[in-house]
Amino acid sequence: MSNLSNIDAALLPAIDETSLLAPPHKIHAPRILMLYGSLRPRSFSRLSAEEAGRILTHLGAEVRFFNPSGLPLVDDNTDATHPKVAELRALVAWSEGMVWSSPERHGAMTGLMKTQVDWIPLSDGAVRPTQGKTLAVMQVSGGSQSFNAVNQMRILGRWMRLITIPNQSSIPRAFQEFDEAGRMRPSPLYDRIVDVMEKLFKFTLLTRDRADYLVDRYSERKETAAELMKRVNQSAAT
C-alpha cells in the first residue's frame, strides 16, 4: 500500500470470495413488489404489471401489489405515519425486488409514479430500504413506442441504489394490446415482458444472498469508523 497512501488499508481488505460467491442460500420464494403509475379504472400500467406479476408467480416468486389510491403528495402536511405511506414502506422493506410500471405522460413518468418513489426513503435509521434490491422498469404509451419513462425510472433506480436489470418493457398503443378482460394479447410485446420478468427473477436469486456484501463500500466503512472514533473519544472525554 506504499503507493496508496490515501487509503486506510485496514478498511480495504481483500475481497471475501466466500461472501461474494458462496453466501448462505435463502430458500424462501423471491419477494417482488409491483408499483404502477395510474389510477384509471382501465389502467394499462396496472394491467401490464398484473401480467408481469402472473409471470413472476409462475416462476416461483411471491408477488405483492401496492395500490397507490389515497397516497398523499410528499410534503403535503403529512408524514410517514400516514397509513398509505406506512403501507408502501412496509412493502418495500419486505421486498427483495421491484417492478415499476408507469404510463408515459407528457414525455415522462406520471406524477403518481414519482410520488411513490419519493415516499421511499434512501435510509430509515440504520436500514436502507432499497439498497441492493433488484428493479425492472416498464412503461405503456398511448401512441408510438417511447422510452422516456423507463429511462427516467432507471435514473431513479440508480439513485435509490437498486440493481436495475438491463432488460425493460415499453408497450406502444397499449389500448390495442389488452382484451376486454384486461389480459394482454399474445405478441412480441408480451414476450418481451416474459423476458424481463425472467431476467428479474434470475437477478434477484443471484443477488439477494449477497446484497449486503455487494453494497458494502470503502467510503462508508471509512465514515462509520470515523463516527465510531468520534463517539469513543467523546465518551472518554466525559
Side-chain angles (χ1 to χ4, degrees), residues 7-18:
I7 291 179
D8 184 339
L11 298 175
L12 190 64
I15 299 301
D16 182 351
E17 293 191 6
T18 299

Side-chain angles (χ1 to χ4, degrees), residues 199-217:
K199 187 73 63 129
L200 176 68
F201 191 90
K202 291 176 180 177
F203 266 69
T204 305
L205 286 178
L206 279 172
T207 59
R208 68 175 184 174
D209 296 327
R210 49 184 57 80
D212 289 342
Y213 189 70
L214 285 171
V215 300
D216 183 33
R217 51 181 63 84

Side-chain angles (χ1 to χ4, degrees), residues 51-136:
E51 289 292 345
R54 293 183 186 101
I55 297 163
L56 287 165
T57 300
H58 169 77
L59 291 170
E62 181 180 355
V63 176
R64 297 184 185 179
F65 284 77
F66 174 70
N67 180 349
S69 179
L71 183 69
L73 293 173
V74 178
D75 300 327
D76 189 18
N77 295 318
T78 189
D79 57 25
T81 62
H82 188 283
K84 292 298 293 188
V85 177
E87 177 190 355
L88 173 61
R89 292 188 173 188
L91 285 170
V92 171
W94 164 86
S95 71
E96 296 168 328
M98 287 188 277
V99 176
W100 295 352
S101 177
S102 177
E104 181 171 318
R105 188 170 297 162
H106 300 309
M109 79 185 80
T110 60
L112 180 62
M113 189 75 241
K114 184 60 163 56
T115 296
Q116 292 175 81
V117 177
D118 284 347
W119 272 119
I120 302 171
L122 285 172
S123 63
D124 185 8
V127 177
R128 289 182 171 165
T130 56
Q131 183 169 241
K133 298 181 179 183
T134 54
L135 171 67

Side-chain angles (χ1 to χ4, degrees), residues 30-36 44-65 96-102 134-140 150 153-154 163-171 183-184 188-207:
R31 300 165 179 165
I32 308 296
L33 172 61
M34 317 294 287
L35 304 182
Y36 54 89
F44 295 113
S45 63
R46 175 178 55 80
L47 293 178
S48 61
E50 289 174 353
E51 289 292 345
R54 293 183 186 101
I55 297 163
L56 287 165
T57 300
H58 169 77
L59 291 170
E62 181 180 355
V63 176
R64 297 184 185 179
F65 284 77
E96 296 168 328
M98 287 188 277
V99 176
W100 295 352
S101 177
S102 177
T134 54
L135 171 67
V137 293
M138 305 168 60
Q139 75 167 72
V140 296
V150 287
M153 288 187 285
R154 282 190 174 281
I163 302 169
T164 308
I165 67 168
N167 302 61
Q168 61 190 24
S169 168
S170 175
I171 304 174
R183 295 302 304 272
M184 194 171 181
L189 294 170
Y190 176 81
D191 293 345
R192 181 66 173 177
I193 293 180
V194 178
D195 290 346
V196 174
M197 293 308 113
E198 184 180 25
K199 187 73 63 129
L200 176 68
F201 191 90
K202 291 176 180 177
F203 266 69
T204 305
L205 286 178
L206 279 172
T207 59

Side-chain angles (χ1 to χ4, degrees), residues 18-47:
T18 299
S19 297
L20 185 62
L21 302 177
H25 179 60
K26 297 181 177 69
I27 61 172
H28 63 264
R31 300 165 179 165
I32 308 296
L33 172 61
M34 317 294 287
L35 304 182
Y36 54 89
S38 170
L39 295 175
R40 291 178 176 177
R42 188 169 167 82
S43 162
F44 295 113
S45 63
R46 175 178 55 80
L47 293 178

